[in-house]
Amino acid sequence: MRKAATKTFTGSRIRHQRNRVSMTQSALALRLGISASYLNQIEHDIRPLPLPLLGALCDIFSVGADYFSDTEETRGIQALREILTDPVFDTDGIRLDSIQAAMRAAPDLCAQFVRLYRAYLLRQEHTAAPLVGAAAPSPARQDDAPDRVEPYEAVNDWVQLQRNYFDEVDRTAERQFEMIRLDEGSPREQLTRYLLDHHGIRTETDLSLGQRGLMWRMDRRARTIFLSRILPAESSTFWMAQALGQIEHQAVFARTIRRSRLRESEARGLARVYLTNYFAGALLLPYERFRITAHEVRHDLERLQRHFGVSFEQACHRLSTMQRPGSEGIPFYFLKTDIAGNILKSFSANRFTQSRFGGPCPLWNIFRAFSTPQQVQVQLSQTTDGALYLNIARTVGRSSISYLDRPRLTAVVLGCSIADAEHLVYSAGLDLNDPRMIIPIGPGCRACTRENCHHRALPMVGHRVDVNNEGRGIAPYRTAL
């Protein structure tokens, strides 16, 4: 089942670009070959943007086609919907079309509203009463800005804005793959030899690292990289690639971070950690080789694992980064969570957006994966905005090394639009035209608009609850008519 093409309304973005270059509406209409009245309707979202005009607008304003997509608008609308479920707001009468109109008319203002709400949540956490016996929360620092965003959230926003693709870092890693010739033998052995020959750095196993909560450590004075003994082979290789990035490519990372809007030192430090990880994945899975192989094997993750000698998670994560201009792969979203539903990683190159201020939906197959460890779960799902996805989920992480060991239980999910499902081996045997195969998933119960859901745990905010005791619906909380 293919989702019908959606109408893209881009009025505010066209108007912003036109004003940026001081171009009148009549002048732009002339260059586009349309009437000024027609352009006026497009700019006021009365008419959607026709596809034939997209390329011309990109050329006129020197922007990519992604600038005029409604992906970021969709994420913004979802964030506003979730925020307005907070009881601090009186949300009676605020309809979805009103939120959409606000997002289209004033996207920058809406973004600041989201930023303010996140700062409000942060302040609430800092001033929350401690548990009995716990230390009192530290007082807010004088230099804490009232609208300060947590550094890791700022970095996540930056990565999402780049669609999880960093061209200079990616191409640097790709060139180094060819220079080291990582495909001519075991990647771990090749990296071990390269680090020793070019930097005089040895690689050793440290039995005590795991006890100190470390996976690897570099001692520059001893010119040695110490790896934990509990690491699987593919993880050890990844950390060695990360260490190589730290040794040779700090200048590349610094240039990339300077182009960002990250200003706080902590956020910039976290961004450097992220880019180091990104480099390691791009080195072990060079862009063009990986993209071509993924297409040939129909994105079979197990085959990609064996071909490149990486983990299931590494293969999934790399697929979510394949957005090189002119050589794009399938736009995937990627998410990693623990068994409690805490989001550990989240990136999206398509319209999908996770719940930012509430818990994820229990109907998502990433949670079913915990009941079938190491087995792939495939699901067709539909989000509340009508988008259809093919989702692949599986548990990841190491197994226990002793009875007293407590490894973190985690799972990942990789998803793409159902329009791309035919290019994935996981669509084999699925009837994509049978609506009964589609699982409705939502952003979290308080923001989810699906009333008759067996899994609803909280009432929908903004609607009165039916307190009639003479009948019981599917869900424990019904919306009053």
Side-chain angles (χ1 to χ4, degrees):
M1 179 181 295
R2 289 181 180 272
K3 185 177 182 288
T6 57
K7 296 180 179 180
T8 303
F9 293 91
T10 61
S12 62
R13 278 158 281 178
I14 295 174
R15 191 162 54 250
H16 173 77
Q17 288 296 323
R18 184 170 57 76
N19 292 333
R20 181 179 63 84
V21 298
S22 301
M23 183 183 294
T24 66
Q25 200 172 69
S26 298
L28 178 57
L30 183 63
R31 293 191 62 176
L32 292 173
I34 61 176
S35 67
S37 61
Y38 184 31
L39 177 58
N40 183 271
Q41 290 177 323
I42 293 175
E43 286 197 6
H44 287 85
D45 291 328
I46 298 173
R47 297 271 189 104
L49 175 67
L51 188 59
L53 296 183
L54 177 60
L57 286 169
C58 292
D59 291 338
I60 291 171
F61 297 125
S62 300
V63 296
D66 288 343
Y67 177 83
F68 294 106
S69 75
D70 61 354
T71 300
E72 292 306 315
E73 180 180 294
T74 300
R75 294 195 179 97
I77 290 171
Q78 182 60 47
L80 290 175
R81 289 181 61 195
E82 292 181 35
I83 288 172
L84 292 172
T85 64
D86 193 307
V88 73
F89 298 108
D90 180 6
T91 56
D92 287 344
I94 299 182
R95 298 169 54 87
L96 176 59
D97 54 1
S98 298
I99 298 175
Q100 292 171 332
M103 191 67 195
R104 290 169 185 164
D108 292 339
L109 180 61
C110 290
Q112 290 303 315
F113 178 75
V114 173
R115 179 182 176 88
L116 179 62
Y117 181 75
R118 289 162 70 174
Y120 161 76
L121 289 184
L122 180 62
R123 183 58 58 89
Q124 291 290 94
E125 292 175 0
H126 284 174
T127 58
L131 297 175
V132 176
S138 58
R141 298 175 307 190
Q142 291 294 326
D143 58 346
D144 277 347
D147 64 342
R148 180 178 181 269
V149 175
E150 285 284 14
Y152 71 89
E153 290 187 342
V155 173
N156 285 343
D157 289 344
W158 170 60
V159 172
Q160 183 58 64
L161 188 63
Q162 302 300 316
R163 301 188 75 194
N164 198 21
Y165 176 74
F166 296 88
D167 191 73
E168 185 179 8
V169 177
D170 213 294
R171 293 181 187 274
T172 299
E174 193 171 30
R175 288 192 296 270
Q176 187 144 38
F177 176 94
E178 301 297 342
M179 188 264 288
I180 299 177
R181 298 179 180 177
L182 282 183
D183 58 330
E184 297 182 3
S186 163
R188 177 169 180 171
E189 293 176 359
Q190 295 291 85
L191 283 173
T192 300
R193 185 178 302 111
Y194 179 86
L195 287 167
L196 183 61
D197 292 346
H198 288 75
H199 298 284
I201 294 178
R202 296 176 295 110
T203 304
E204 295 184 2
T205 299
D206 186 338
L207 302 181
S208 67
L209 282 183
Q211 299 174 353
R212 289 182 279 164
L214 297 175
M215 294 293 100
W216 71 281
R217 180 177 65 86
M218 182 160 55
D219 188 332
R220 293 182 182 271
R221 178 174 298 180
R223 307 194 70 76
T224 303
I225 296 175
F226 296 98
L227 300 170
S228 171
R229 66 171 180 172
I230 66 174
L231 287 176
E234 59 269 17
S235 296
S236 296
T237 306
F238 182 87
W239 296 127
M240 291 170 66
Q242 188 189 64
L244 176 59
Q246 288 192 13
I247 294 169
E248 291 194 359
H249 302 297
Q250 287 293 336
V252 175
F253 304 153
R255 283 196 299 271
T256 303
I257 294 171
R258 277 199 299 269
R259 291 191 290 267
S260 74
R261 296 180 179 179
L262 302 172
R263 296 294 176 261
E264 290 191 10
S265 59
E266 188 175 350
R268 295 170 74 88
L270 289 174
R272 189 173 296 106
V273 171
Y274 176 81
L275 291 177
T276 306
N277 286 332
Y278 186 99
F279 170 85
L283 178 63
L284 300 178
L285 301 166
Y287 193 97
E288 278 302 315
R289 286 174 179 254
F290 185 72
R291 184 184 66 82
I292 293 171
T293 305
H295 178 75
E296 290 174 347
V297 302
R298 299 188 65 208
H299 301 84
D300 188 322
L301 290 159
E302 285 85 355
R303 293 183 65 181
L304 290 172
Q305 273 188 267
R306 291 195 299 273
H307 184 90
F308 290 97
V310 297
S311 69
F312 187 88
E313 179 181 345
Q314 290 165 3
C316 287
H317 189 280
R318 186 55 169 151
L319 282 175
S320 74
T321 69
M322 310 301 286
Q323 295 302 306
R324 178 176 292 177
S327 188
E328 295 89 348
I330 291 177
F332 284 99
Y333 79 82
F334 169 79
L335 186 140
K336 180 179 180 180
T337 181
D338 64 16
I339 197 169
N342 298 305
I343 305 299
L344 308 177
K345 296 179 183 178
S346 178
F347 313 107
S348 179
N350 53 39
R351 288 169 55 91
F352 183 87
T353 178
Q354 67 158 46
S355 175
R356 301 182 69 177
F357 302 103
C361 180
L363 288 171
W364 212 358
N365 64 332
I366 192 170
F367 296 110
R368 187 174 293 272
F370 287 106
S371 63
T372 57
Q374 304 302 309
Q375 295 182 24
V376 172
Q377 291 278 345
V378 180
Q379 178 190 63
L380 296 178
S381 67
Q382 183 175 39
T383 52
T384 52
D385 64 352
L388 299 171
Y389 297 94
L390 174 66
N391 308 317
I392 305 104
R394 206 199 80 171
T395 55
V396 295
R398 65 176 181 83
S399 57
S400 299
I401 59 174
S402 74
Y403 174 71
L404 298 177
D405 187 26
R406 298 291 185 270
R408 172 184 272 181
L409 299 177
T410 57
V412 296
V413 60
L414 187 74
C416 69
S417 167
I418 200 170
D420 296 313
E422 61 184 293
H423 302 297
L424 274 67
V425 66
Y426 303 100
S427 65
L430 294 179
D431 186 351
L432 302 181
N433 295 308
D434 187 347
R436 295 174 299 178
M437 296 291 293
I438 299 172
I439 305 300
I441 63 173
C445 292
R446 295 180 68 83
C448 184
T449 56
R450 293 190 174 99
E451 182 178 353
N452 295 324
C453 175
H454 293 266
H455 298 263
R456 179 172 287 281
L458 295 167
M460 191 190 320
V461 170
H463 300 269
R464 291 186 298 108
V465 176
D466 185 357
V467 294
N468 182 8
N469 291 320
E470 296 180 0
R472 175 67 182 267
I474 295 175
Y477 304 102
R478 300 179 62 202
T479 300
L481 299 177

